[in-house]
Amino acid sequence: MPHITVQHFPQDLGEERRASFVAAVTEAVTAAFGVGEGAVSIALEPVPAEDWEDRVHAPQIVGRADLLVKSPAY
């Protein structure tokens, strides 16, 4: 605990950007939840743009709006 899944349009972050992203998210999560970095897991899930509405927006953003801590501006 905790586990973070980031769904995003497919994009190759490259090794350096990916490592930087993972480090930043891990730092934020460990600070917020008071856990060691060994407790944090992170998954990156590419979702094609044409599938975004059905796989992410409708079920997870609109359908679970009560859980959002930040809403998108679209």
Side-chain angles (χ1 to χ4, degrees):
M1 144 27 220
H3 174 72
I4 308 297
T5 299
V6 178
Q7 295 170 303
H8 58 90
F9 289 170
Q11 178 178 4
D12 180 15
L13 296 178
E15 290 293 323
E16 191 173 311
R17 284 179 64 194
R18 185 181 190 145
S20 177
F21 173 78
V22 168
V25 171
T26 300
E27 182 179 342
V29 170
T30 59
F33 289 93
V35 298
E37 69 177 59
V40 178
S41 56
I42 302 170
L44 295 176
E45 181 182 347
V47 177
E50 60 272 13
D51 296 337
W52 189 259
E53 178 61 31
D54 292 335
R55 286 182 49 192
V56 179
H57 187 258
Q60 295 185 43
I61 296 172
V62 174
R64 299 177 73 182
D66 58 313
L67 298 176
L68 290 179
V69 294
K70 181 184 181 312
S71 297
Y74 59 84

